[in-house]
Amino acid sequence: MTAVRTTNFPHEVVAPGHGGIGESPLRPDGILKVKGDFAYTSDLWIDGMLWGATLRSPHPRARILSIDTAPALAMTGVHAVLTHEDVPGRKVYGLDHTWDQPVLAFDEVRHHGEPIALVAADHPEIARRALAVIEIEWEVLEPIVDPMAVIEDPEANRVQERGGITRHQPVRVGDINVGRELAAVVVTEEYEVGIQDQAFLGPESGLVIPTEDGGLEFYVATQWLHWDLTQIAPCLGLSEDRIKMTMGGVGGAFGGREDISMQIHAGLLAMHTGKPIKMMYNREESFFGHVHRHPARMRYEYGATATGKLTYAKVLIVLDGGAYTSATQNVVGNASSLAVGPYEIPHLEIDVYGVYTNNPPCGAMRGFGAVQACFAHESMMDKVADALGMDSVTVRQANAVSQGSKLATGQIVHAPMPMAEMLEMSRAMELPDALDASDIRNLPGGASQTTHGEGVVRGVGYGVGIKNICFSEGFDDYSTARVRLEIVNGEPVALVHTAAAEVGQGLVTVEAQIARTELGIERVVIHPADNGVGSAGSSSASRQTYMTGGAVKTACEAVRDRLFVLARERTGTHKYLQLVGGKIVANNGQVIAAIADVLGDDVIEETREYHHRPTTGMDPITGQGDSHTQLALCVHRAVVDVDTELGLVKVVALDAVQDVGKIMNRLSLEGQIHGGSVQGLGLAVMEEIQVSGGKVRNPSFTDYLIPTILDTPTQKLEILENADPHAPYGLRGAGEPPTLSSTPAVVAAIRDACRRHGGTGNITRVPVRPEDIIRSS
């Protein structure tokens, strides 16, 4: 059997000029992707492979009384039909050692679309038909779908044995009764965030190949190869050394690939049939095959003095995690620690709950709990400003954290955080031109011709987001890198090997930039990401440039040190040495020797782990703790045109100010800020999975809407570089913060337009619906 197009790397990363840190060399995968030559996991193919498919529950909650697979097994071209009885090892898996998600449902299904049975067949259409004839006898049960009811009575609303509540994290600072006495105004509101989907364009897919020794080779699209392995191996009854994991081409992730999807299922079918198995979800199945952003119900109460200083905050956030744990416990930690955002508030009473329901499972998505909180705390800052008759930017500046401030958890902001200045920069950015109604595409509704400018009002709004970077709450976060330096055709070449997932963020480009900078060479080759090297952790939490970048930097430094030892031995120099342009250079600029001449036929290879500074867990009663490694800020100003009669919105501008510590690659960075901003725009005005009675009603890109280029406004960027002394190169993770602040900025602008039209502007839910606008105008 011959595998075809199973990976896109190793790939040499070469660009004009040096292409080091601070420059913007070409992405090694960029041309391939633009030309359509990049191999995603859905493109994998091997001779003799079978197609796997999954039977999923049509019910959000039901007992399985019997399963009859005989009709499917009798079909020509069907090689296997498996149920939970065929799982050779542990029957459950899960993130963060929770182990509560069944590989295949047994006894009871707990959400719409839960996997029940697997089929392997010669052709995907045969597999689909086989699924249709599997007979299941059900006892349909009433689903538990109200997260607030779970909070009120967790025992009566128990979805699984763990109980109703995944995690409750309180935060207590001072005395809110004292804060109430100091307040000149008190404002309260309830907010809601709908279920957002990651909506990555590459559906879940992969290829599993049996090996001659009884092991398996996985080619999958994931965000963390080693954690996949930790879950896969026990379920398949194999030791981890019998499984090879290789990263396939990833068509986007945004958190949705942190959890297992088809990996264990394809492994089961490959073990059972002894043949390679390919699985690929269609778009509808993809909506059931991964977790989503947690919907939230939130209740906020703020007090402030007459000058706008906040005196207290009382907060309740309820996050619906759906049927299984996934990342909910950590999402609760983030939401609670960042519940009131980047503001100094002396008295706090915060309670954040994650609960189980029979709604779709929710877990990691870009922003990870901070998105929901940000929508609420920024809406509250506007509400405080309105109550006081003050400018909303001024109120934010009056309460802004800065270097030396304490966050809600008591954590000190040790690095620069010029939030007040960033807000001023945002306010000073040039506003877009006035509405040009001569081109209908400029109007809300666009070419649909739903309006010709009647009732269109422009509004402006602001939002500030603060996001933790890297893993938190005492997690020993680390990444591993192996760097090999050798001479190839007379030139020094570095081979960089990590297990880090390139999910579109440009990590492979940055890895090469770091190697060029640290080793002073031009040619860098990126090894395929696999488990032949130690864990790189997850491509999440905006951590990979920080963590894997730190690991590559550290490994390069170790290689450089060994090269310097060789240089001193072979040239007799004792000067301080540097690597520049393929040369070994003394500190005074004297060229000592070419790297190629010193290294010769020798090879230097070093493997290093990089760990960030320690963090602590949150106190279970007070929530206090030094729980985050790093924090990053983004400020957005949105300008929108709103048809107040039809409830239509056009976002005209979505400008951002972000502090990134150090610009590693400006082009990639701008892409991250633009992309994150538009994802937040989607949550603000269009993206929502519709769930009724636990059933997903819109699992398609026809009915689940995401922003296109026609919905994407101009975006001016101001990028600051205030170095974090704890981070490699002083950088700050940059991918998530713009996703936070763009949503409340857009909604604030919609509210502003509604008020300019004479309405209340009281919009408390995202995504904003036309009826919300009409009602508040």
Side-chain angles (χ1 to χ4, degrees):
M1 293 185 295
T2 304
V4 180
R5 298 182 74 187
T6 56
T7 183
N8 300 287
F9 296 100
H11 199 95
E12 190 164 343
V13 185
V14 181
H18 180 59
I21 294 304
E23 300 182 44
S24 294
L26 297 178
R27 293 175 59 130
D29 53 353
I31 293 174
L32 293 172
K33 288 178 176 177
V34 170
K35 293 173 66 178
D37 292 334
F38 186 84
Y40 293 97
T41 49
S42 54
D43 298 312
L44 300 179
W45 191 280
I46 190 169
D47 292 342
M49 72 182 189
L50 302 176
W51 290 82
T54 309
L55 178 67
R56 297 179 178 275
S57 171
H59 308 293
R61 187 184 183 199
R63 290 191 182 93
I64 300 172
L65 303 180
S66 66
I67 303 177
D68 185 1
T69 61
L73 276 169
M75 290 180 62
T76 302
V78 171
H79 292 253
V81 182
L82 307 181
T83 68
H84 72 91
E85 294 178 348
D86 300 295
V87 178
R90 183 158 51 191
K91 291 180 180 287
V92 291
Y93 64 92
L95 286 177
D96 302 322
H97 304 283
T98 49
W99 316 116
D100 66 346
Q101 191 150 349
V103 174
L104 294 167
F106 49 91
D107 300 332
E108 185 176 326
V109 294
R110 294 181 175 85
H111 69 90
H112 184 200
E114 183 161 352
I116 300 166
L118 307 172
V119 168
D122 291 330
H123 189 277
E125 181 61 21
I126 296 173
R128 187 190 68 81
R129 292 175 181 175
L131 295 179
V133 299
I134 295 173
E135 297 176 358
I136 302 177
E137 184 181 358
W138 300 99
E139 180 188 349
V140 178
L141 304 173
E142 184 68 24
I144 295 168
V145 297
D146 182 358
M148 303 308 289
V150 177
I151 295 298
E152 293 166 5
D153 193 341
E155 286 303 310
N157 293 281
R158 180 189 288 263
V159 168
Q160 55 163 289
E161 292 180 1
R162 291 172 179 269
I165 296 174
T166 318
R167 179 182 178 183
H168 167 216
Q169 180 59 60
V171 177
R172 299 289 187 268
V173 177
D175 185 342
I176 64 167
N177 291 319
V178 172
R180 281 196 181 100
E181 293 176 0
L182 297 172
V185 296
V186 172
V187 294
T188 62
E189 193 56 83
E190 294 186 3
Y191 299 100
E192 186 176 353
V193 174
I195 304 178
Q196 187 180 21
D197 187 68
Q198 295 85 352
F200 41 73
L201 297 186
E204 292 83 349
S205 52
L207 178 68
V208 180
I209 305 171
T211 59
E212 293 181 356
D213 64 355
L216 296 171
E217 292 183 358
F218 284 75
Y219 296 87
V220 293
T222 180
Q223 290 179 242
W224 190 351
L225 282 170
H226 283 76
W227 191 247
D228 277 14
L229 177 61
T230 299
Q231 298 172 82
I232 292 167
C235 294
L236 298 183
L238 295 175
S239 59
E240 291 189 6
D241 61 4
R242 304 272 300 281
I243 297 176
K244 181 181 179 182
M245 304 285 296
T246 300
M247 188 73 63
V250 182
F254 313 113
R257 299 190 201 267
E258 284 196 37
D259 291 76
I260 292 289
S261 60
M262 48 64 61
Q263 292 94 315
I264 300 174
H265 295 164
L268 284 171
L269 291 170
M271 290 179 66
H272 192 85
T273 62
K275 292 179 176 291
I277 298 292
K278 178 173 180 176
M279 295 189 77
M280 183 173 70
Y281 295 171
N282 61 23
R283 181 55 58 191
E284 178 177 351
E285 186 172 15
S286 181
F287 274 91
F288 296 104
H290 61 260
V291 297
H292 315 286
R293 188 185 300 287
H294 290 77
R297 302 275 291 276
M298 300 174 286
R299 188 179 303 137
Y300 273 63
E301 178 183 321
Y302 277 14
T305 66
T307 60
K309 289 290 288 181
L310 297 174
T311 62
Y312 80 95
K314 182 176 182 180
V315 174
L316 171 67
I317 299 176
V318 179
L319 300 167
D320 184 351
Y324 299 110
T325 306
S326 183
T328 297
Q329 293 174 352
N330 293 326
V331 173
V332 167
N334 267 18
S336 56
S337 63
L338 304 174
V340 295
Y343 302 105
E344 295 181 331
I345 307 178
H347 304 283
L348 296 170
E349 183 180 304
I350 299 168
D351 288 280
V352 181
Y353 295 85
V355 302
Y356 295 108
T357 66
N358 293 117
N359 291 319
C362 293
M365 184 175 172
R366 194 176 195 171
F368 205 77
V371 165
Q372 297 90 329
C374 186
F375 171 60
H377 66 63
E378 289 306 282
S379 297
M380 288 299 289
M381 296 306 290
D382 289 340
K383 201 170 183 69
V384 168
D386 289 342
L388 292 169
M390 295 178 64
D391 174 74
S392 68
V393 171
T394 303
V395 171
R396 286 177 169 88
Q397 290 174 319
N399 296 281
V401 297
S402 59
Q403 190 168 6
S405 295
K406 274 188 181 181
L407 298 178
T409 59
Q411 182 164 354
I412 303 296
V413 177
H414 293 294
M417 190 166 283
M419 178 176 155
E421 293 89 335
M422 292 170 68
L423 279 159
E424 199 59 44
M425 292 174 68
S426 179
R427 178 157 53 182
M429 296 173 85
E430 185 179 358
L431 286 164
D433 293 336
L435 173 66
D436 177 11
S438 64
D439 187 339
I440 198 167
R441 291 172 298 180
N442 295 330
L443 298 173
S448 299
Q449 300 193 43
T450 49
T451 180
H452 290 272
E454 311 91 341
V456 175
V457 182
R458 177 160 289 184
V460 179
Y462 294 85
V464 184
I466 184 169
K467 178 66 177 65
N468 63 302
I469 307 300
C470 300
F471 295 153
S472 301
E473 295 194 71
F475 190 95
D476 183 16
D477 193 2
Y478 74 92
S479 183
T480 313
R482 181 178 300 138
V483 176
R484 176 186 176 96
L485 182 65
E486 59 188 324
I487 307 303
V488 179
N489 296 328
E491 290 185 65
V493 178
L495 176 67
V496 177
H497 188 185
T498 76
E502 168 60 65
V503 296
Q505 79 276 43
L507 177 65
V508 291
T509 317
V510 171
E511 288 179 352
Q513 290 179 259
I514 292 170
R516 287 197 199 98
T517 298
E518 298 302 324
L519 298 178
I521 63 174
E522 186 78 13
R523 295 183 59 191
V524 179
V525 175
I526 303 298
H527 190 284
D530 59 28
N531 65 328
V533 67
S535 176
S538 175
S539 287
S540 60
S542 304
R543 62 176 290 283
Q544 282 293 12
T545 301
Y546 191 124
M547 299 303 301
T548 295
V552 172
K553 181 176 187 290
T554 305
C556 285
E557 289 167 347
V559 168
R560 186 178 62 204
D561 290 345
R562 283 184 56 190
L563 182 61
F564 286 163
V565 170
L566 277 180
R568 293 185 178 102
E569 290 175 353
R570 295 176 180 179
T571 66
T573 185
H574 295 287
K575 297 178 180 179
Y576 176 81
L577 302 178
Q578 303 175 71
L579 299 179
V580 181
K583 309 292 185 182
I584 300 172
V585 181
N587 200 32
N588 62 6
Q590 176 191 359
V591 176
I592 304 300
I595 293 174
D597 293 336
V598 169
L599 193 56
D601 293 332
D602 289 341
V603 174
I604 299 175
E605 182 175 285
E606 292 289 341
T607 303
R608 291 291 185 273
E609 284 185 0
Y610 181 81
H611 298 246
H612 64 56
R613 66 185 184 89
T615 60
T616 66
M618 297 176 68
D619 184 279
I621 305 301
T622 66
Q624 301 302 288
D626 190 23
S627 60
H628 297 311
T629 307
Q630 187 187 63
L631 296 153
L633 278 179
C634 184
V635 177
H636 268 97
R637 184 194 65 189
V639 180
V640 305
D641 286 336
V642 179
D643 187 316
T644 54
E645 297 172 358
L646 299 177
L648 301 175
V649 176
K650 182 175 179 61
V651 181
V652 178
L654 192 54
D655 305 321
V657 181
Q658 186 164 337
D659 189 348
V660 302
K662 169 68 178 176
I663 297 174
M664 304 289 283
N665 182 313
R666 179 175 286 273
L667 193 59
S668 289
L669 171 64
E670 290 177 350
Q672 285 287 292
I673 298 174
H674 286 155
S677 299
V678 173
Q679 208 156 26
L681 181 159
L683 178 61
V685 296
M686 63 179 68
E687 293 190 46
E688 183 176 13
I689 293 179
Q690 301 287 337
V691 179
S692 176
K695 286 193 173 185
V696 176
R697 300 298 185 181
N698 59 333
S700 74
F701 280 171
T702 299
D703 301 308
Y704 181 90
L705 304 180
I706 59 175
T708 69
I709 192 66
L710 296 177
D711 304 297
T712 303
T714 59
Q715 297 182 56
K716 300 185 185 76
L717 303 181
E718 292 283 354
I719 301 174
L720 308 184
E721 294 183 277
N722 292 291
D724 182 341
H726 299 289
Y729 303 107
L731 67 87
R732 295 177 193 268
E736 291 177 284
T739 310
L740 276 64
S741 48
S742 54
T743 300
V746 169
V747 178
I750 295 171
R751 292 191 191 107
D752 183 49
C754 292
R755 292 193 187 100
R756 289 173 187 267
H757 188 253
T760 65
N762 188 31
I763 296 173
T764 60
R765 187 188 188 280
V766 288
V768 179
R769 298 166 176 163
E771 59 265 32
D772 299 328
I773 294 171
I774 294 169
R775 186 168 49 246
S776 62
S777 296

